[in-house]
Amino acid sequence: MKRVSKKIICAFSGLILSAACAFAYGNNGEQILNSVLKGKSIYSIPLSTALVGEQAFLDVASANAAVDPKDPYRVVYDHKTPEGDPVQFKEIWAYLLDGNFSDYKEGMTITDLCIFSADINSYGELNYIPDVSKVKGFKGRKHLVVTSQSRSLTHFVLDPSFGIREKIIKVLVDACDHKGYDGIQVDFEIIPQRDADNFITFLADIREAIGQERWFSVAVPARTKTLKDDIFNYKKIAANCDRVIIMAYDEHWSGGKPGPVASTDWCHNVVTYAVSQMPQKKVIMGLPFYGRTWINKNLARAWFFSGIMRNINEHDVAAEVKREKGVPYFSYETSVKVTAYFDDTYSLVSKMRMYKEKTVERIAFWCLGQEDPDIWNWVAH
């Protein structure tokens, strides 16, 4: 769930326009991508760019709206406004990245903040807890998210024979007792198959250790059906915690074909399965504030000599081959098609209303700082 910030500036071939869209990208250290198209000046290499999708479509004809040309994050596409009233939920959770505490603003309609994250290090230690006192003005519940980013490390943490899990749990109890946290959330996304039972007993041990007066939640990947030998068994997990956050996003991701991060139809299937597996009060449906981009070809790779020769011939750049301290090199420009899917207020409200129709009363946003700001006018508690 970690994300690293980057920028890329794109230009439409044949038409130069102004637009700005913010994109967050993938799990496990993937990017937040801010794609900016600036008027009458082409930056970086030529790019043939298409922004398409179920959630939002960048309308070229309407892109000449009067906006501040100095603001690279201005919204200039057809930013459709939902109809009706804001969507009301009993609980509204949101993730806040450690170090980005200013992304929380007083007045945001949030009941629960999940501070991301306390990560177990390579030695099986949890020796850093984010300072939640740096979050200013928030009056709701604060949850510490604990993560483990390595499959092998997760095995050693979960297997009780190594004695690591007891130390981890002790630190989590201290975070509740002395660090200002109201609850703990486990977000282990890379669990070895043989540790499925160890994972459930780990959750049970945390539940017992922090006490019933503390909140305990678990983040799980989206499912639309029961999988054979699934590590993330919804029923077993729900039996050992207060809330289950269904990460209903990454339907399409960087390694696959372009598509919505969370299409409404797919989310409908996810929530239908979730509410069939656990009590309704434990279900929290995750919603993405981010989007993704795909390119139609990736030329950054290793090549055989024969492949290099094919590149030289296809792009007619034999005259461009030079040598640097004896090593041959060349460069050329080419067109790349960029496809982007992202969520805005209109698409998020559509999904929120669908969740309400499925009797879901709790949602969670990943994550603050990545959202269409208008969303806070459309969610109520």
Side-chain angles (χ1 to χ4, degrees):
M1 295 170 72
K2 291 182 180 176
R3 295 173 171 82
V4 181
S5 294
K6 285 188 177 180
K7 286 187 178 179
I8 182 171
I9 300 178
C10 308
F12 279 84
S13 59
L15 177 65
I16 299 176
L17 55 94
S18 300
C21 306
F23 304 110
Y25 193 86
N27 287 336
N28 303 320
E30 296 177 337
Q31 8 177 321
I32 298 171
L33 184 60
N34 292 321
S35 180
V36 181
L37 311 177
K38 294 196 72 173
K40 296 192 177 179
S41 297
I42 298 179
Y43 300 81
S44 190
I45 63 171
L47 290 174
S48 176
T49 305
L51 302 182
V52 298
E54 173 197 274
Q55 295 122 309
F57 177 71
L58 189 58
D59 185 356
V60 174
S62 64
N64 295 319
V67 294
D68 180 1
K70 296 181 179 180
D71 180 7
Y73 302 108
R74 61 198 182 277
V75 177
V76 293
Y77 74 102
D78 183 14
H79 192 249
K80 193 172 181 179
T81 301
E83 297 180 354
D85 297 323
V87 190
Q88 188 165 7
F89 292 94
K90 290 181 178 179
E91 294 173 16
I92 302 158
W93 295 46
Y95 288 88
L96 182 61
L97 300 183
D98 178 32
N100 291 357
F101 294 134
S102 62
D103 287 335
Y104 168 74
K105 305 292 190 301
E106 289 191 58
M108 287 180 171
T109 312
I110 298 170
T111 61
D112 295 75
L113 268 183
C114 303
I115 309 302
F116 192 93
S117 71
D119 190 46
I120 300 172
N121 68 20
S122 300
Y123 303 99
E125 302 165 338
L126 197 57
N127 56 8
Y128 171 74
I129 303 297
D131 185 358
V132 74
S133 69
K134 293 182 179 179
V135 182
K136 303 302 182 183
F138 181 68
K139 306 300 182 183
R141 294 178 292 264
K142 298 174 283 291
H143 307 261
L144 175 64
V145 182
V146 57
T147 56
S148 179
Q149 303 292 341
S150 160
R151 188 180 301 274
S152 56
L153 175 61
T154 301
H155 164 67
F156 289 109
V157 170
L158 294 179
D159 191 326
S161 65
F162 295 101
I164 297 176
R165 63 193 270 174
E166 291 82 3
K167 297 177 182 178
I168 298 296
I169 292 173
K170 184 178 179 180
V171 175
L172 297 178
V173 171
D174 182 72
C176 288
D177 290 344
H178 304 294
K179 305 293 186 180
Y181 285 96
D182 301 294
I184 299 297
Q185 182 176 133
V186 171
D187 181 11
F188 284 15
E189 300 181 26
I190 313 175
I191 301 175
Q193 182 63 51
R194 286 188 290 177
D195 283 305
D197 291 339
N198 289 334
F199 180 54
I200 298 302
T201 60
F202 177 62
L203 300 181
D205 288 351
I206 295 175
R207 168 74 283 174
E208 181 179 2
I210 66 174
Q212 293 297 324
E213 69 277 11
R214 305 293 188 184
W215 285 68
F216 183 40
S217 57
V218 182
V220 299
R223 297 284 189 262
T224 59
K225 62 182 179 180
T226 300
L227 304 180
K228 183 180 179 181
D229 300 323
D230 192 2
I231 295 168
F232 299 98
N233 184 300
Y234 281 13
K235 289 183 178 179
K236 291 181 179 180
I237 292 171
N240 289 283
C241 65
D242 301 303
R243 299 288 187 268
V244 179
I245 292 84
I246 313 294
M247 295 184 286
Y249 30 81
D250 287 345
E251 175 188 4
H252 297 88
W253 65 295
S254 57
K257 295 180 179 179
V261 172
S263 68
T264 302
D265 288 345
W266 179 76
C267 289
H268 181 274
N269 294 335
V270 172
V271 68
T272 299
Y273 177 72
V275 297
S276 75
Q277 298 297 302
M278 68 187 81
Q280 179 262 7
K281 69 176 183 179
K282 294 193 175 187
V283 175
I284 299 179
M285 293 305 299
L287 288 153
F289 278 160
Y290 64 93
R292 290 188 182 279
T293 57
W294 289 261
I295 56 176
N296 66 328
K297 54 186 174 182
N298 182 6
L299 303 177
R301 49 169 290 191
W303 295 85
F304 294 163
F305 180 83
S306 59
I308 292 292
M309 295 305 101
R310 179 167 58 83
N311 263 283
I312 291 175
N313 284 295
E314 286 181 353
H315 297 279
D316 193 22
V317 290
E320 300 297 322
V321 178
K322 300 177 176 60
R323 290 184 181 269
E324 182 177 306
K325 297 182 178 179
V327 179
Y329 75 95
F330 63 93
S331 63
Y332 61 87
E333 292 185 353
T334 188
S335 176
V336 177
K337 180 181 179 181
V338 179
T339 301
Y341 284 80
F342 63 105
D343 271 290
D344 61 5
T345 295
Y346 187 86
S347 66
L348 290 170
V349 169
S350 296
K351 282 189 272 283
M352 289 191 295
R353 287 175 174 160
M354 182 271 291
Y355 289 147
K356 287 286 289 187
E357 291 175 358
K358 299 294 291 185
T359 73
V360 170
E361 294 288 349
R362 296 160 181 87
I363 57 172
F365 293 120
W366 177 271
C367 76
L368 296 185
Q370 301 175 6
E371 72 270 24
D372 176 350
D374 192 41
I375 189 63
W376 302 114
N377 295 319
W378 289 94
V379 60
H381 172 248

